[in-house]
Amino acid sequence: MTSSSARPRAAAPALLSLAIGSFGIGMTEFVVMGLLPNIAQDLLPAQWAASPEHAIAQTGWLISLYALGVVIGAPTIAGSVARFPRHRVMVCLALALTLFNALTFLLPSFGLVAASRLLAGLPHGAYFGIGALVAADALGPGKRAKGVAFVLTGLTIANVVGVPLGTFLGQQVGWRAAFVVVASIFALATVCIALFVPAHAGDPARTLRAELKVFRIGQVWLALGVGAIGFGGFFAVYSYVAPMVTEVAGSPEWVVPIVLVLMGVGMTIGNLVGGHLADVDLKRTLVGGLLALALVLALLAVTSHWIWALGFFVFATGFVSSVLSPTIQTRLMDVAQDNQSIAAALNHSALNIGNSLGAFLGGVVIALGLGFVAPAWVGVALALSGLGIALASLATERARAASAVRRPAADG
């Protein structure tokens, strides 16, 4: 039975199967951030004994390497497998996620764990990009966005439930236990996708070379820049929430999962609000969202010594960043012309460049001895830089539109 002929009742288990995988992706991407001190103590004991700040900063490379894997894998894998049956591709991607995350908890040294994080990031973007196409087709005409949103719900719920619980488990039992759970979730997703996602043909005419033509569009580069740099401000803070809670606010370790729940709730609400606002006025939402992110991060930096203020502004950071997420996605889709499938994957590349950049720069300022509040100021700078790129993109678009209007008038 092909997806085009699948009965409506077959869509629910198919979408749920895909959502289980997106839940696992949300958990594997973000649970490291709440366990940085635990991982640093275990894998870098000598550095931890000499300087916890330097050990945590180095452990932040695990975040950057995962994000780098997403950046590399999203366009290359999505473009390379477009011609193959999509349901089979999704099974392979889920299986790869299972194996690579299993390596994270099995491998003994920091260097090998770092390599496993790079590998774990490779299937991330392709899973969401191809999964979005499968989900949209599973529900049929007129319900495309609903199907995509259902799959992405797994990622949102992961930040409310999976990441805090994984962080708590990792603190109590050992950080590797969190990745045992992650790998188990991907194993379940693999089985469910194989059983419940209906056959979905690929497009034999789509090749990697044809897909990569999207990079010839200047506005695509600017949209990717907004996501990679502007959204990096969020990750500069999210990557180092755990030490901010314990070292800056002076709260016990068990408070970290609670703060992460607040971040997840903010992200969940912001995603819903952002989708609505982007439909009403995408350009104002993009500009206003980046300004709001810079302001919230600045307020977080100056009030983070009080745990109640830290919790509130972490919630606000999650909210504003998730208002931006669908806005940036929509902007990229608008400027990508006919290259919609690879654009969906490229959005995850851009956001994970932001993940890598924010985590790296946050680690740099910590290693320089500027303290655990310094990443918030890095976030302010990145958000404002993203705003500059967004304004340049919109100005270029207006100039081209005005030129197009003047040209026929001159010809007449």
Short mmCIF file of all heavy atoms in Angstrom, two decimals, residues 27-86:
data_model
loop_
_atom_site.label_atom_id
_atom_site.label_comp_id
_atom_site.label_asym_id
_atom_site.label_seq_id
_atom_site.Cartn_x
_atom_site.Cartn_y
_atom_site.Cartn_z
N MET A 27 16.25 14.94 22.59
CA MET A 27 16.91 14.54 23.82
C MET A 27 18.42 14.42 23.63
O MET A 27 19.21 14.92 24.44
CB MET A 27 16.33 13.22 24.32
CG MET A 27 16.73 12.86 25.74
SD MET A 27 15.77 11.47 26.37
CE MET A 27 16.60 11.22 27.94
N THR A 28 18.85 13.77 22.55
CA THR A 28 20.29 13.57 22.36
C THR A 28 21.01 14.88 22.10
O THR A 28 22.16 15.06 22.49
CB THR A 28 20.56 12.58 21.21
OG1 THR A 28 21.93 12.19 21.27
CG2 THR A 28 20.27 13.17 19.84
N GLU A 29 20.32 15.83 21.45
CA GLU A 29 20.97 17.11 21.14
C GLU A 29 21.16 17.97 22.38
O GLU A 29 22.20 18.62 22.55
CB GLU A 29 20.15 17.88 20.10
CG GLU A 29 20.78 19.21 19.71
CD GLU A 29 20.05 19.92 18.59
OE1 GLU A 29 18.90 19.53 18.28
OE2 GLU A 29 20.64 20.84 18.01
N PHE A 30 20.16 17.97 23.27
CA PHE A 30 20.17 18.94 24.36
C PHE A 30 20.52 18.38 25.74
O PHE A 30 20.85 19.15 26.64
CB PHE A 30 18.81 19.63 24.44
CG PHE A 30 18.48 20.42 23.20
CD1 PHE A 30 17.33 20.14 22.46
CD2 PHE A 30 19.30 21.44 22.76
CE1 PHE A 30 17.02 20.85 21.32
CE2 PHE A 30 19.01 22.16 21.61
CZ PHE A 30 17.87 21.87 20.89
N VAL A 31 20.48 17.06 25.93
CA VAL A 31 20.72 16.53 27.27
C VAL A 31 22.17 16.73 27.70
O VAL A 31 22.46 16.85 28.90
CB VAL A 31 20.33 15.04 27.35
CG1 VAL A 31 21.37 14.14 26.67
CG2 VAL A 31 20.11 14.61 28.79
N VAL A 32 23.08 16.81 26.75
CA VAL A 32 24.49 17.06 27.08
C VAL A 32 24.65 18.37 27.85
O VAL A 32 25.48 18.48 28.75
CB VAL A 32 25.34 17.08 25.80
CG1 VAL A 32 26.78 17.51 26.10
CG2 VAL A 32 25.35 15.71 25.14
N MET A 33 23.82 19.36 27.50
CA MET A 33 23.98 20.69 28.07
C MET A 33 23.76 20.69 29.58
O MET A 33 24.40 21.46 30.30
CB MET A 33 23.03 21.66 27.37
CG MET A 33 23.32 21.80 25.88
SD MET A 33 22.06 22.73 25.01
CE MET A 33 22.68 22.64 23.32
N GLY A 34 22.85 19.87 30.06
CA GLY A 34 22.61 19.80 31.50
C GLY A 34 23.56 18.89 32.23
O GLY A 34 23.57 18.87 33.47
N LEU A 35 24.39 18.14 31.48
CA LEU A 35 25.29 17.17 32.11
C LEU A 35 26.77 17.52 31.90
O LEU A 35 27.64 16.68 32.15
CB LEU A 35 25.02 15.77 31.54
CG LEU A 35 23.65 15.17 31.88
CD1 LEU A 35 23.43 13.87 31.11
CD2 LEU A 35 23.53 14.92 33.39
N LEU A 36 27.05 18.74 31.44
CA LEU A 36 28.45 19.11 31.18
C LEU A 36 29.36 18.89 32.38
O LEU A 36 30.46 18.31 32.24
CB LEU A 36 28.52 20.57 30.72
CG LEU A 36 28.08 20.87 29.28
CD1 LEU A 36 28.25 22.35 28.99
CD2 LEU A 36 28.89 20.05 28.28
N PRO A 37 28.98 19.33 33.59
CA PRO A 37 29.89 19.09 34.73
C PRO A 37 30.11 17.61 35.00
O PRO A 37 31.23 17.18 35.31
CB PRO A 37 29.16 19.77 35.90
CG PRO A 37 28.26 20.78 35.28
CD PRO A 37 27.81 20.14 33.99
N ASN A 38 29.06 16.80 34.87
CA ASN A 38 29.17 15.36 35.12
C ASN A 38 30.07 14.67 34.10
O ASN A 38 30.90 13.83 34.46
CB ASN A 38 27.78 14.71 35.10
CG ASN A 38 26.79 15.44 35.99
OD1 ASN A 38 26.23 16.46 35.58
ND2 ASN A 38 26.57 14.94 37.20
N ILE A 39 29.92 15.04 32.83
CA ILE A 39 30.75 14.45 31.79
C ILE A 39 32.20 14.90 31.95
O ILE A 39 33.14 14.11 31.79
CB ILE A 39 30.22 14.85 30.39
CG1 ILE A 39 28.79 14.32 30.20
CG2 ILE A 39 31.12 14.32 29.29
CD1 ILE A 39 28.11 14.80 28.93
N ALA A 40 32.39 16.18 32.29
CA ALA A 40 33.75 16.69 32.47
C ALA A 40 34.48 15.97 33.59
O ALA A 40 35.65 15.59 33.46
CB ALA A 40 33.69 18.19 32.75
N GLN A 41 33.79 15.75 34.70
CA GLN A 41 34.42 15.04 35.82
C GLN A 41 34.81 13.62 35.45
O GLN A 41 35.84 13.11 35.89
CB GLN A 41 33.47 15.03 37.02
CG GLN A 41 33.27 16.38 37.67
CD GLN A 41 32.31 16.31 38.85
OE1 GLN A 41 32.60 15.68 39.86
NE2 GLN A 41 31.16 16.94 38.70
N ASP A 42 33.98 12.96 34.65
CA ASP A 42 34.23 11.56 34.30
C ASP A 42 35.29 11.40 33.22
O ASP A 42 36.20 10.58 33.34
CB ASP A 42 32.92 10.91 33.84
CG ASP A 42 33.10 9.44 33.47
OD1 ASP A 42 33.81 8.72 34.20
OD2 ASP A 42 32.52 9.01 32.46
N LEU A 43 35.18 12.18 32.14
CA LEU A 43 36.06 11.99 30.99
C LEU A 43 37.33 12.85 31.03
O LEU A 43 38.30 12.53 30.33
CB LEU A 43 35.29 12.28 29.69
CG LEU A 43 34.10 11.36 29.38
CD1 LEU A 43 33.46 11.75 28.07
CD2 LEU A 43 34.55 9.90 29.33
N LEU A 44 37.31 13.92 31.80
CA LEU A 44 38.47 14.81 31.89
C LEU A 44 38.84 15.04 33.35
O LEU A 44 38.85 16.17 33.84
CB LEU A 44 38.16 16.15 31.20
CG LEU A 44 37.81 16.09 29.70
CD1 LEU A 44 37.31 17.44 29.23
CD2 LEU A 44 39.01 15.63 28.88
N PRO A 45 39.15 13.98 34.10
CA PRO A 45 39.40 14.12 35.54
C PRO A 45 40.59 15.02 35.87
O PRO A 45 40.54 15.77 36.83
CB PRO A 45 39.62 12.68 36.01
CG PRO A 45 40.03 11.94 34.77
CD PRO A 45 39.29 12.58 33.65
N ALA A 46 41.66 14.93 35.09
CA ALA A 46 42.85 15.74 35.37
C ALA A 46 42.55 17.23 35.17
O ALA A 46 42.91 18.07 36.00
CB ALA A 46 44.01 15.30 34.48
N GLN A 47 41.87 17.54 34.05
CA GLN A 47 41.51 18.94 33.79
C GLN A 47 40.54 19.45 34.84
O GLN A 47 40.62 20.61 35.26
CB GLN A 47 40.91 19.08 32.39
CG GLN A 47 41.89 18.84 31.26
CD GLN A 47 41.92 17.40 30.81
OE1 GLN A 47 41.82 16.48 31.63
NE2 GLN A 47 42.07 17.18 29.51
N TRP A 48 39.60 18.59 35.26
CA TRP A 48 38.64 18.99 36.28
C TRP A 48 39.32 19.32 37.59
O TRP A 48 38.98 20.30 38.26
CB TRP A 48 37.60 17.89 36.48
CG TRP A 48 36.56 18.22 37.52
CD1 TRP A 48 36.60 17.91 38.84
CD2 TRP A 48 35.35 18.97 37.32
NE1 TRP A 48 35.48 18.40 39.48
CE2 TRP A 48 34.70 19.07 38.57
CE3 TRP A 48 34.77 19.56 36.21
CZ2 TRP A 48 33.50 19.72 38.73
CZ3 TRP A 48 33.55 20.22 36.37
CH2 TRP A 48 32.93 20.30 37.61
N ALA A 49 40.29 18.51 37.96
CA ALA A 49 41.02 18.75 39.21
C ALA A 49 41.81 20.05 39.15
O ALA A 49 41.91 20.78 40.15
CB ALA A 49 41.96 17.58 39.50
N ALA A 50 42.35 20.37 37.98
CA ALA A 50 43.14 21.59 37.84
C ALA A 50 42.27 22.83 37.69
O ALA A 50 42.55 23.88 38.28
CB ALA A 50 44.07 21.47 36.63
N SER A 51 41.18 22.71 36.90
CA SER A 51 40.31 23.86 36.65
C SER A 51 38.97 23.38 36.12
O SER A 51 38.87 23.00 34.94
CB SER A 51 40.94 24.83 35.64
OG SER A 51 40.01 25.82 35.26
N PRO A 52 37.92 23.36 36.95
CA PRO A 52 36.60 22.95 36.47
C PRO A 52 36.11 23.79 35.29
O PRO A 52 35.44 23.26 34.39
CB PRO A 52 35.71 23.14 37.70
CG PRO A 52 36.64 23.00 38.87
CD PRO A 52 37.93 23.61 38.40
N GLU A 53 36.45 25.08 35.29
CA GLU A 53 36.00 25.94 34.20
C GLU A 53 36.57 25.48 32.87
O GLU A 53 35.86 25.38 31.86
CB GLU A 53 36.41 27.40 34.46
CG GLU A 53 35.65 28.08 35.58
CD GLU A 53 36.26 27.75 36.95
OE1 GLU A 53 37.28 27.03 36.99
OE2 GLU A 53 35.70 28.21 37.96
N HIS A 54 37.88 25.17 32.84
CA HIS A 54 38.49 24.71 31.60
C HIS A 54 37.95 23.35 31.18
O HIS A 54 37.75 23.08 29.99
CB HIS A 54 40.01 24.65 31.75
CG HIS A 54 40.69 25.98 31.66
ND1 HIS A 54 40.71 26.87 32.71
CD2 HIS A 54 41.34 26.58 30.64
CE1 HIS A 54 41.36 27.97 32.35
NE2 HIS A 54 41.76 27.81 31.09
N ALA A 55 37.69 22.47 32.16
CA ALA A 55 37.15 21.15 31.84
C ALA A 55 35.75 21.26 31.24
O ALA A 55 35.42 20.57 30.26
CB ALA A 55 37.12 20.28 33.10
N ILE A 56 34.91 22.13 31.80
CA ILE A 56 33.56 22.31 31.27
C ILE A 56 33.60 22.93 29.89
O ILE A 56 32.86 22.53 28.99
CB ILE A 56 32.72 23.17 32.25
CG1 ILE A 56 32.40 22.38 33.51
CG2 ILE A 56 31.43 23.65 31.57
CD1 ILE A 56 31.70 23.18 34.58
N ALA A 57 34.51 23.90 29.70
CA ALA A 57 34.64 24.53 28.39
C ALA A 57 35.04 23.50 27.33
O ALA A 57 34.51 23.49 26.22
CB ALA A 57 35.66 25.66 28.45
N GLN A 58 35.97 22.61 27.68
CA GLN A 58 36.38 21.58 26.72
C GLN A 58 35.26 20.58 26.47
O GLN A 58 35.06 20.14 25.33
CB GLN A 58 37.62 20.84 27.23
CG GLN A 58 38.17 19.82 26.22
CD GLN A 58 39.48 19.19 26.66
OE1 GLN A 58 40.20 19.76 27.48
NE2 GLN A 58 39.80 18.04 26.11
N THR A 59 34.51 20.24 27.49
CA THR A 59 33.38 19.32 27.31
C THR A 59 32.32 19.92 26.41
O THR A 59 31.59 19.20 25.72
CB THR A 59 32.78 18.95 28.67
OG1 THR A 59 33.82 18.48 29.53
CG2 THR A 59 31.74 17.85 28.54
N GLY A 60 32.24 21.24 26.39
CA GLY A 60 31.31 21.91 25.47
C GLY A 60 31.58 21.59 24.01
O GLY A 60 30.71 21.78 23.15
N TRP A 61 32.79 21.08 23.71
CA TRP A 61 33.07 20.67 22.33
C TRP A 61 32.13 19.55 21.88
O TRP A 61 31.86 19.42 20.67
CB TRP A 61 34.52 20.17 22.21
CG TRP A 61 35.57 21.19 22.48
CD1 TRP A 61 35.40 22.52 22.71
CD2 TRP A 61 36.99 20.94 22.55
NE1 TRP A 61 36.61 23.13 22.94
CE2 TRP A 61 37.61 22.20 22.85
CE3 TRP A 61 37.79 19.83 22.42
CZ2 TRP A 61 38.98 22.33 23.00
CZ3 TRP A 61 39.17 19.96 22.55
CH2 TRP A 61 39.75 21.19 22.83
N LEU A 62 31.65 18.75 22.82
CA LEU A 62 30.71 17.67 22.45
C LEU A 62 29.46 18.25 21.81
O LEU A 62 28.88 17.66 20.89
CB LEU A 62 30.34 16.85 23.67
CG LEU A 62 31.48 16.14 24.42
CD1 LEU A 62 30.94 15.35 25.60
CD2 LEU A 62 32.27 15.24 23.48
N ILE A 63 29.01 19.41 22.30
CA ILE A 63 27.85 20.09 21.73
C ILE A 63 28.18 20.58 20.33
O ILE A 63 27.42 20.40 19.38
CB ILE A 63 27.41 21.25 22.64
CG1 ILE A 63 27.07 20.74 24.04
CG2 ILE A 63 26.23 22.00 22.02
CD1 ILE A 63 26.87 21.84 25.06
N SER A 64 29.36 21.21 20.20
CA SER A 64 29.76 21.76 18.91
C SER A 64 29.95 20.66 17.87
O SER A 64 29.59 20.84 16.70
CB SER A 64 31.06 22.55 19.08
OG SER A 64 30.89 23.65 19.94
N LEU A 65 30.51 19.52 18.27
CA LEU A 65 30.75 18.43 17.32
C LEU A 65 29.44 17.81 16.84
O LEU A 65 29.30 17.47 15.66
CB LEU A 65 31.64 17.37 17.96
CG LEU A 65 33.12 17.77 18.08
CD1 LEU A 65 33.86 16.79 18.97
CD2 LEU A 65 33.76 17.84 16.69
N TYR A 66 28.46 17.65 17.74
CA TYR A 66 27.15 17.16 17.31
C TYR A 66 26.55 18.12 16.28
O TYR A 66 26.05 17.70 15.23
CB TYR A 66 26.21 17.02 18.50
CG TYR A 66 24.83 16.51 18.12
CD1 TYR A 66 24.54 15.16 18.11
CD2 TYR A 66 23.82 17.40 17.74
CE1 TYR A 66 23.29 14.69 17.72
CE2 TYR A 66 22.57 16.95 17.35
CZ TYR A 66 22.31 15.59 17.35
OH TYR A 66 21.07 15.14 16.96
N ALA A 67 26.62 19.40 16.60
CA ALA A 67 26.06 20.40 15.69
C ALA A 67 26.79 20.38 14.35
O ALA A 67 26.17 20.53 13.29
CB ALA A 67 26.16 21.79 16.32
N LEU A 68 28.10 20.20 14.37
CA LEU A 68 28.86 20.11 13.13
C LEU A 68 28.40 18.91 12.31
O LEU A 68 28.30 18.99 11.07
CB LEU A 68 30.36 19.99 13.45
CG LEU A 68 31.31 19.87 12.24
CD1 LEU A 68 31.20 21.10 11.35
CD2 LEU A 68 32.75 19.67 12.72
N GLY A 69 28.12 17.79 12.97
CA GLY A 69 27.59 16.63 12.27
C GLY A 69 26.29 16.93 11.56
O GLY A 69 26.06 16.50 10.42
N VAL A 70 25.41 17.70 12.22
CA VAL A 70 24.13 18.08 11.60
C VAL A 70 24.39 18.94 10.36
O VAL A 70 23.78 18.73 9.30
CB VAL A 70 23.24 18.85 12.59
CG1 VAL A 70 21.93 19.25 11.92
CG2 VAL A 70 22.96 18.00 13.82
N VAL A 71 25.31 19.89 10.49
CA VAL A 71 25.62 20.80 9.38
C VAL A 71 26.13 20.02 8.17
O VAL A 71 25.74 20.29 7.03
CB VAL A 71 26.65 21.85 9.83
CG1 VAL A 71 27.11 22.70 8.65
CG2 VAL A 71 26.07 22.74 10.92
N ILE A 72 27.00 19.06 8.41
CA ILE A 72 27.56 18.27 7.32
C ILE A 72 26.51 17.32 6.74
O ILE A 72 26.36 17.18 5.51
CB ILE A 72 28.78 17.46 7.81
CG1 ILE A 72 29.90 18.41 8.24
CG2 ILE A 72 29.27 16.50 6.73
CD1 ILE A 72 31.05 17.71 8.95
N GLY A 73 25.78 16.64 7.61
CA GLY A 73 24.89 15.58 7.17
C GLY A 73 23.61 16.05 6.54
O GLY A 73 23.09 15.38 5.62
N ALA A 74 23.05 17.18 6.98
CA ALA A 74 21.72 17.59 6.51
C ALA A 74 21.65 17.74 4.99
O ALA A 74 20.84 17.07 4.34
CB ALA A 74 21.29 18.87 7.22
N PRO A 75 22.47 18.58 4.37
CA PRO A 75 22.34 18.72 2.91
C PRO A 75 22.88 17.53 2.14
O PRO A 75 22.31 17.16 1.12
CB PRO A 75 23.15 19.99 2.61
CG PRO A 75 24.14 20.09 3.72
CD PRO A 75 23.46 19.52 4.93
N THR A 76 23.97 16.93 2.62
CA THR A 76 24.59 15.85 1.85
C THR A 76 23.74 14.58 1.87
O THR A 76 23.52 13.95 0.84
CB THR A 76 26.00 15.53 2.37
OG1 THR A 76 25.94 15.29 3.79
CG2 THR A 76 26.93 16.70 2.12
N ILE A 77 23.24 14.20 3.05
CA ILE A 77 22.42 13.00 3.14
C ILE A 77 21.06 13.24 2.48
O ILE A 77 20.58 12.41 1.69
CB ILE A 77 22.25 12.55 4.60
CG1 ILE A 77 23.61 12.12 5.17
CG2 ILE A 77 21.26 11.40 4.70
CD1 ILE A 77 23.56 11.73 6.64
N ALA A 78 20.41 14.35 2.81
CA ALA A 78 19.08 14.63 2.24
C ALA A 78 19.14 14.69 0.72
O ALA A 78 18.25 14.18 0.03
CB ALA A 78 18.52 15.93 2.81
N GLY A 79 20.19 15.31 0.17
CA GLY A 79 20.31 15.39 -1.27
C GLY A 79 20.67 14.06 -1.92
O GLY A 79 20.19 13.74 -3.00
N SER A 80 21.48 13.27 -1.25
CA SER A 80 21.97 12.01 -1.82
C SER A 80 20.92 10.91 -1.83
O SER A 80 20.95 10.02 -2.70
CB SER A 80 23.20 11.52 -1.04
OG SER A 80 24.25 12.45 -1.11
N VAL A 81 19.98 10.93 -0.87
CA VAL A 81 19.01 9.82 -0.76
C VAL A 81 17.63 10.20 -1.29
O VAL A 81 16.69 9.41 -1.17
CB VAL A 81 18.89 9.35 0.70
CG1 VAL A 81 20.24 8.92 1.25
CG2 VAL A 81 18.28 10.44 1.60
N ALA A 82 17.50 11.37 -1.90
CA ALA A 82 16.17 11.83 -2.34
C ALA A 82 15.54 10.88 -3.36
O ALA A 82 14.31 10.81 -3.46
CB ALA A 82 16.28 13.23 -2.94
N ARG A 83 16.35 10.15 -4.09
CA ARG A 83 15.79 9.27 -5.13
C ARG A 83 15.33 7.91 -4.60
O ARG A 83 14.69 7.15 -5.32
CB ARG A 83 16.82 9.06 -6.25
CG ARG A 83 18.08 8.34 -5.83
CD ARG A 83 19.06 8.28 -7.00
NE ARG A 83 20.26 7.53 -6.71
CZ ARG A 83 21.33 8.04 -6.12
NH1 ARG A 83 21.32 9.32 -5.74
NH2 ARG A 83 22.40 7.30 -5.90
N PHE A 84 15.67 7.59 -3.35
CA PHE A 84 15.33 6.29 -2.79
C PHE A 84 13.96 6.33 -2.08
O PHE A 84 13.50 7.40 -1.68
CB PHE A 84 16.39 5.84 -1.80
CG PHE A 84 17.76 5.65 -2.41
CD1 PHE A 84 18.81 6.49 -2.09
CD2 PHE A 84 17.98 4.63 -3.34
CE1 PHE A 84 20.06 6.33 -2.65
CE2 PHE A 84 19.23 4.45 -3.90
CZ PHE A 84 20.27 5.31 -3.57
N PRO A 85 13.30 5.18 -1.91
CA PRO A 85 12.02 5.15 -1.18
C PRO A 85 12.18 5.75 0.22
O PRO A 85 13.04 5.33 0.99
CB PRO A 85 11.70 3.65 -1.12
CG PRO A 85 12.39 3.07 -2.31
CD PRO A 85 13.66 3.85 -2.45
N ARG A 86 11.33 6.69 0.52
CA ARG A 86 11.54 7.48 1.74
C ARG A 86 11.31 6.68 3.01
O ARG A 86 11.96 6.92 4.03
CB ARG A 86 10.63 8.71 1.70
CG ARG A 86 11.09 9.74 0.68
CD ARG A 86 10.07 10.83 0.47
NE ARG A 86 10.54 11.81 -0.51
CZ ARG A 86 9.76 12.65 -1.16
NH1 ARG A 86 8.44 12.61 -0.96
NH2 ARG A 86 10.26 13.51 -2.01
#
